[in-house]
Amino acid sequence: MAEATDEYDIICAGGGTTACVVAGRLAAADPSLRILILEAGPQTKDDPRCVEPSQCISHLEPGDPFMSFHVAEPSLYLKGRQLVVNSGRCVGGSSAINNLMYTRAAASDYDDWETIYNNPGWGSKNLLPLLRKTETYQVKGHESTHGYSGPLKVSYGGRFTDVGMQALEVAAKYDPGRKIADDSNDLSTCDTYSRWQKWIDGETGRRSDPAHFFVYNQEGNANLRVLSEKAVIRVLIEDGRASGVEYTNDLTLNPSADRTVHVAKATRFVVVSAGAFGSPAILERSGIGSSEILTRLRIPQVVDLPGIGENYQDHPVAFPAYFAADEAETLDALYRGDVNEIDEQMKLWKHDGTGLVSHNAYDVAIKLRPNADDLKELGPDFSARWKFFESNPDKPIVLMAPCAGYGTSNRARGKTHALHIDSLASIRNSPLAITLGVVTSWSATCCFIRVKPQLIRPQVSPGVNWKCSHQFCT
């Protein structure tokens, strides 16, 4: 896609999931609109590391070019340890490199946006039609909560491993109090084991993501332009409205790149779409944020908006690892770079979109709620948090998913690297292993810029409960 001109109708500051959907839909509705997407990371079009589902785990390796790794300040609540939060840094953002898990929120979560937080039109009844519009659900026909004509494909992927099959058998035998359901992503079903859907095209076996199906599929439209490896410095604000942006070359992948500052003007509007970490930094560098932070950094304030960067919530995950039986069907051979196995699986994938290449290693999961025995074991310290979930039976506290493999290497680079548990380095040399992804429902964090507007990663302060302990948080 061509280099930028000086003026556009719409500019997206950040080229992740939001930008691809917004820019792509606007461009499709009116191809005459001049739209610019500025993305700090690289392009992802047809890159094997992004379109092959089995390679999703490789992006957790430190130094991955498609990912940002935000290292938090040491936390008293973690005995001085530092959390690391990773997020996509490429065209398509996290949707281009995540684990492809199709995981919808509960209806009550969306309804909370509308009722508790006073956002009319953001309840589940309003958003469900948009969720349906976005997808083509290939798992089963005529499901009222799913769509069948959208650009993004949803399937089970091209393989159902014996690890996943046995997980359902074990659940039925040893946890009979929880049922096995066809669909745990219908906005209401919870605390049930299910075969899990994925953002994988069931016909091609490729990742189904907004970059490819909202933007890259419109490369014939010269008015829709994507500039990668461009870092947005700030939004320009004139007479109370956003008039454009300043940007320069990003140095992450090319440290010797020219640092000339360019200006792109927007005749209609600017979309700040740089993600949960990038957008607050752009806004604060633009003079939008807490007066206390902006005054300290001597940034002229345009809007006093103290909520910028506060109360970011995410789902921390742990990966306890287990040795697997020799005959277990896992992706370990692909993770280790076994040439013969990769060649065999690639033939299947290229032929009809099946095999382990079309798989993300997750077949089964459960959005889990504690039962009476669990609550007793968790004790009184958990009670305060449980009140938030207790009255809404569709809200889980944790998602658990067995993973048919232990992601210890990035075969695209031929390296071996323990991704999750350094103390289990011996597993790297074991024939087969599985992990159990345990994802908690929330962790509160805050992120702020640290110095006057330079392109430095934001300061990330881990918190506890809903409010962060950072000195600038209220």
Side-chain angles (χ1 to χ4, degrees):
M1 295 184 178
E3 276 291 331
T5 58
D6 290 331
E7 187 175 271
Y8 297 85
D9 294 309
I10 299 163
I11 297 173
C12 292
T17 304
T18 298
C20 288
V21 174
V22 170
R25 288 192 60 185
L26 288 172
D30 184 356
S32 69
L33 286 172
R34 299 166 300 164
I35 302 174
L36 173 65
I37 299 175
L38 294 167
E39 167 54 41
Q43 298 279 354
T44 56
K45 185 176 185 296
D46 295 329
D47 192 301
R49 295 166 291 181
C50 299
V51 300
E52 295 177 20
S54 64
Q55 293 220 42
C56 64
I57 197 72
S58 70
H59 299 294
L60 293 178
E61 182 179 357
D64 182 82
F66 302 98
M67 188 81 82
S68 285
F69 295 87
H70 306 279
V71 181
E73 295 176 327
S75 172
L76 293 174
Y77 306 106
L78 299 173
K79 296 185 177 180
R81 290 188 292 116
Q82 293 174 277
L83 288 176
V84 178
V85 181
N86 51 307
S87 59
R89 192 174 190 274
C90 56
V91 176
S94 294
S95 67
I97 48 82
N98 63 16
N99 281 6
L100 304 108
M101 297 285 280
Y102 175 84
T103 306
R104 283 169 155 185
S108 65
D109 289 330
Y110 296 123
D111 293 339
D112 288 346
W113 287 354
E114 183 172 44
T115 57
I116 297 177
Y117 301 106
N118 193 29
N119 291 292
W122 285 85
S124 59
K125 67 181 183 297
N126 306 104
L127 295 181
L128 181 57
L130 301 178
L131 296 177
R132 289 198 297 251
K133 184 177 183 178
T134 302
E135 69 182 23
T136 292
Y137 192 68
Q138 299 173 320
V139 174
K140 184 180 179 181
H142 308 294
E143 294 291 303
S144 63
T145 60
H146 294 288
Y148 295 91
S149 60
L152 302 181
K153 308 299 192 297
V154 181
S155 75
Y156 285 141
R159 180 68 64 92
F160 189 17
T161 68
D162 55 9
V163 173
M165 295 177 190
Q166 291 176 23
L168 289 178
E169 294 170 0
V170 169
K173 182 175 181 179
Y174 292 98
D175 193 9
R178 294 184 173 95
K179 305 300 182 182
I180 294 176
D182 289 334
D183 182 12
S184 291
N185 285 300
D186 59 2
L187 304 190
S188 60
T189 301
C190 189
D191 208 29
T192 60
Y193 296 91
S194 300
R195 191 174 175 189
W196 213 256
Q197 309 97 320
K198 307 168 182 67
W199 292 107
I200 297 174
D201 188 329
E203 297 177 355
T204 66
R206 289 167 59 106
R207 178 189 291 272
S208 192
D209 65 297
H212 284 85
F213 293 95
F214 282 90
V215 173
Y216 286 141
N217 61 340
Q218 298 189 66
E219 286 186 314
N221 182 354
N223 286 326
L224 175 59
R225 299 183 175 181
V226 180
L227 296 183
S228 58
E229 300 183 48
K230 306 296 182 185
V232 174
I233 301 172
R234 64 186 179 118
V235 177
L236 300 174
I237 300 174
E238 300 175 4
D239 298 324
R241 67 175 299 272
S243 62
V245 299
E246 288 182 348
Y247 70 95
T248 187
N249 288 316
D250 187 81
L251 303 183
T252 303
L253 300 180
N254 186 8
S256 61
D258 176 66
R259 293 307 306 274
T260 301
V261 174
H262 302 275
V263 173
K265 289 288 189 175
T267 61
R268 296 201 178 188
F269 55 83
V270 174
V271 179
V272 180
S273 50
F277 288 94
S279 291
I282 291 174
L283 292 172
E284 288 176 332
R285 291 195 295 263
S286 308
I288 301 172
S290 165
S291 59
E292 187 173 3
I293 292 175
L294 299 181
T295 299
R296 176 170 57 87
L297 298 177
R298 299 179 182 177
I299 299 174
Q301 186 168 51
V302 177
V303 178
D304 184 10
L305 197 60
I308 296 295
E310 294 185 9
N311 295 313
Y312 165 83
Q313 295 167 33
D314 208 334
H315 53 281
V317 59
F319 291 94
Y322 304 87
F323 289 106
D326 291 342
E327 66 272 16
E329 188 178 24
T330 75
L331 276 69
D332 287 307
L334 274 62
Y335 296 160
R336 290 197 303 265
D338 185 315
V339 175
N340 292 331
E341 181 69 12
I342 291 171
D343 288 345
E344 179 181 341
Q345 296 299 328
M346 284 298 295
K347 289 177 183 177
L348 291 172
W349 185 67
K350 291 179 179 179
H351 174 65
D352 60 5
T354 62
L356 293 178
V357 174
S358 66
H359 195 16
N360 65 346
Y362 296 93
D363 285 304
V364 172
I366 178 173
K367 296 176 179 178
L368 188 142
R369 287 171 61 87
N371 57 31
D373 291 337
D374 296 329
L375 289 170
K376 183 177 180 180
E377 184 175 351
L378 288 168
D381 289 342
F382 180 73
S383 297
R385 287 200 169 192
W386 175 239
K387 290 178 181 178
F388 173 76
F389 300 89
E390 186 174 14
S391 60
N392 294 286
D394 60 352
K395 275 183 166 60
I397 67 164
V398 66
L399 184 141
M400 297 177 62
C403 177
Y406 180 76
T408 60
S409 66
N410 181 344
R411 70 174 174 86
R413 301 181 188 176
K415 295 180 180 179
T416 298
H417 183 89
L419 292 177
H420 306 307
I421 308 171
D422 293 336
S423 61
L424 294 179
S426 61
I427 290 181
R428 288 179 292 181
N429 300 316
S430 68
L432 297 172
I434 60 174
T435 54
L436 180 66
V438 184
V439 186
T440 61
S441 290
W442 85 64
S443 176
T445 301
C446 290
C447 54
F448 306 98
I449 58 174
R450 295 177 289 182
V451 296
K452 192 171 180 177
Q454 301 297 317
L455 295 174
I456 296 176
R457 295 275 171 83
Q459 175 180 336
V460 180
S461 300
V464 65
N465 295 323
W466 290 101
K467 287 290 185 179
C468 176
S469 58
H470 193 280
Q471 60 177 319
F472 293 115
C473 288
T474 56

